[in-house]
Amino acid sequence: MRDLGKRYPKVTQLLSAEVSMVRHLNVFMEHFELYPYPPAGKAPTLDNSVEGTEAVVRWYQERGALVQYNHPPTSTTELAETRALGTDLIEIADAGGGFQVIHDRINLYDVAARNAIFLTATSQIDDHAGRDWLGMSHLYITSVWSASKKAKDLIAALAAGQAWWYHQRLWPNGRLDLAVGGHRAMGRVIRTAADSVPVDVVAENLPAGSTVQIVVGVCDRTGQTSPSIEKHPYPADAFKRGPLPFRLDRENGRYMRVEVYDSSGVLLGFGNPLWVVPIGDDIDIPVARRLAYPPR
């Protein structure tokens, strides 16, 4: 890190590690700590159980960390029942380049969103080689809307879900965002009595011929293990003059997010959702994700 810091002084590096003696996790915290496996006189053995992973997740969260679920199995039943093992983020893209895997994980993510399991979706984080990213045909990168490159601000942006990921080669300058009442709303949750919320959808630097899919899903919190979504496609030209206005009906709870595809149907980008839920329902909304509407 010291050597690379000298070569790339404008790049912020933060120490982290994969926790892999349980389900594979990535940990994001200001002052990184290694998990203290019990002293047994020998190396720890792999514990693939739900309980073992949940214990590690809790240990890190108690120390202010965010924990990501890496390459999750696409069992929607387990995800809904365990609420994603209590993690904060989830890896959606696939370091191996499997587009079917990516779409299966998007389906998994929509099950989480339907059940008000508030996760920040990221690109492939569990990439052990980390080589030739720009030369690969399938690798994506995650960006966040952050107040600075300081660790606390970057982590706060991840906690709030203010992140999107995009294809490094086909859409290297891609940007996605959602705004409500002039406030950044990507990743946020609005609890409101209003029947609908006006959303400005931001999609910048779109390639010619690309399509923006506004995905609207039901958030009924019933434990269902399949998504309930509808897609609204818009051509790139619809964003030439700036953000596209879109009205999100609340009903009993809904969410919306954005996907971008090129002219041949390759996924170029994925934005984290905005949720709108009714007042009075007992939904545990993380403080970092709460957004008032109408604005106070």
Side-chain angles (χ1 to χ4, degrees), residues 23 25 49-50 53-54 57 69 78-79 82-87:
R23 308 282 182 96
L25 308 169
S49 69
V50 167
T53 305
E54 288 175 333
V57 171
Y69 195 172
E78 183 186 86
L79 182 102
T82 66
R83 299 193 67 79
L85 306 176
T87 54

Side-chain angles (χ1 to χ4, degrees), residues 33-235:
E33 297 181 49
L34 286 172
Y35 183 74
Y37 293 99
K42 58 182 180 180
T45 56
L46 178 64
D47 179 359
N48 203 41
S49 69
V50 167
E51 296 77 14
T53 305
E54 288 175 333
V56 174
V57 171
R58 285 194 302 270
W59 188 89
Y60 273 110
Q61 288 174 339
E62 287 168 358
R63 286 152 182 80
L66 298 180
V67 183
Q68 171 163 294
Y69 195 172
N70 287 349
H71 49 81
T74 52
S75 167
T76 57
T77 299
E78 183 186 86
L79 182 102
E81 289 178 350
T82 66
R83 299 193 67 79
L85 306 176
T87 54
D88 308 286
L89 305 94
I90 191 166
E91 181 182 48
I92 301 296
D94 176 42
F99 283 104
Q100 185 57 53
V101 173
I102 293 172
H103 287 287
D104 287 346
R105 290 183 188 162
I106 290 175
N107 181 77
L108 187 74
Y109 186 85
D110 280 321
V111 169
R114 179 173 188 175
N115 287 289
I117 304 170
F118 302 117
L119 298 166
T120 299
T122 69
S123 59
Q124 71 289 334
I125 300 296
D126 188 15
D127 176 11
H128 289 210
R131 297 184 180 276
D132 194 23
W133 283 1
L134 293 178
M136 295 278 190
S137 64
H138 60 273
L139 288 180
Y140 298 82
I141 190 169
T142 302
S143 284
V144 297
W145 294 110
S146 174
S148 78
K149 291 193 292 183
K150 293 179 180 178
K152 66 176 182 178
D153 290 333
L154 294 168
I155 293 170
L158 286 172
Q162 296 184 341
W164 75 103
W165 45 273
Y166 51 98
H167 200 294
Q168 295 183 96
R169 183 170 59 84
L170 299 178
W171 197 29
N173 56 352
R175 288 187 172 189
L176 293 172
D177 203 0
L178 302 172
V180 173
H183 297 277
R184 183 158 286 132
M186 179 182 284
R188 309 299 286 277
V189 185
I190 295 174
R191 197 194 301 267
T192 182
D195 293 333
S196 63
V197 172
V199 184
D200 289 325
V201 181
V202 177
E204 297 179 349
N205 307 313
L206 291 165
S210 60
T211 299
V212 176
Q213 296 269 13
I214 296 178
V215 180
V216 177
V218 170
C219 177
D220 54 12
R221 310 167 300 284
T222 56
Q224 293 293 319
T225 56
S226 60
S228 177
I229 61 172
E230 57 189 40
K231 294 190 175 185
H232 305 268
Y234 293 88

Side-chain angles (χ1 to χ4, degrees), residues 246-265:
F246 187 88
R247 185 162 291 276
L248 178 60
D249 294 331
R250 188 205 68 206
E251 298 184 359
N252 188 42
R254 306 236 286 180
Y255 67 94
M256 64 176 288
R257 57 176 180 80
V258 174
E259 297 174 355
V260 181
Y261 292 87
D262 73 3
S263 57
S264 63

